[in-house]
Amino acid sequence: MDPASAVMNVEDYGEAVFNLAQTTLRSVLGEVDLDDILAKREELSERIREIVDEKTEGWGIHVTGVEIRDVILPEEIRRAITETTSDTLRSPRRKRT
């Protein structure tokens, strides 16, 4: 980190990096399937790190790591998954012909 650039080029660099990382996280995760989010956390984390690092370079900040630790699904999505799973379990198995 370049302290002078971090202070001179952005008002609150900590808050700015946090907001940028959060926005980037939502953008990247919004482009992939739920299964990929769970299966490819390391790959997605690296992609987010690269984007945030590139955008904060002018602020004098170098991002060395990003980790997707927990994915909390909105209530609507959790309900839909539960309903889909319940419907699948309740429907009779079809015989293959």
Side-chain angles (χ1 to χ4, degrees):
M1 180 167 89
D2 175 12
S5 293
V7 172
M8 300 296 288
N9 293 338
V10 66
E11 188 172 323
D12 181 350
Y13 70 87
E15 183 74 16
V17 171
F18 176 80
N19 289 334
L20 176 61
Q22 192 173 41
T23 300
T24 304
L25 172 74
R26 288 180 177 143
S27 175
V28 168
L29 295 185
E31 296 173 1
V32 297
D33 294 330
L34 179 59
D35 291 340
D36 287 340
I37 292 172
L38 301 175
K40 299 179 180 180
R41 283 186 181 191
E42 291 177 11
E43 180 182 317
L44 295 169
S45 293
E46 179 59 22
R47 185 168 161 205
I48 293 165
R49 188 206 61 78
E50 289 171 356
I51 293 168
V52 174
D53 187 46
E54 180 182 313
K55 291 185 177 186
T56 59
E57 186 176 348
W59 302 345
I61 296 170
H62 176 64
V63 178
T64 58
V66 170
E67 180 182 359
I68 300 172
R69 292 184 295 190
D70 193 16
V71 178
I72 301 171
L73 300 174
E75 183 62 34
E76 306 85 48
I77 293 176
R78 284 187 277 170
R79 267 189 260 127
I81 291 171
T82 302
E83 288 173 11
T84 302
T85 304
S86 296
D87 290 345
T88 302
L89 293 174
R90 276 188 251 136
S91 66
R93 290 188 177 178
R94 296 181 182 151
K95 292 183 181 181
R96 293 183 186 183
T97 57

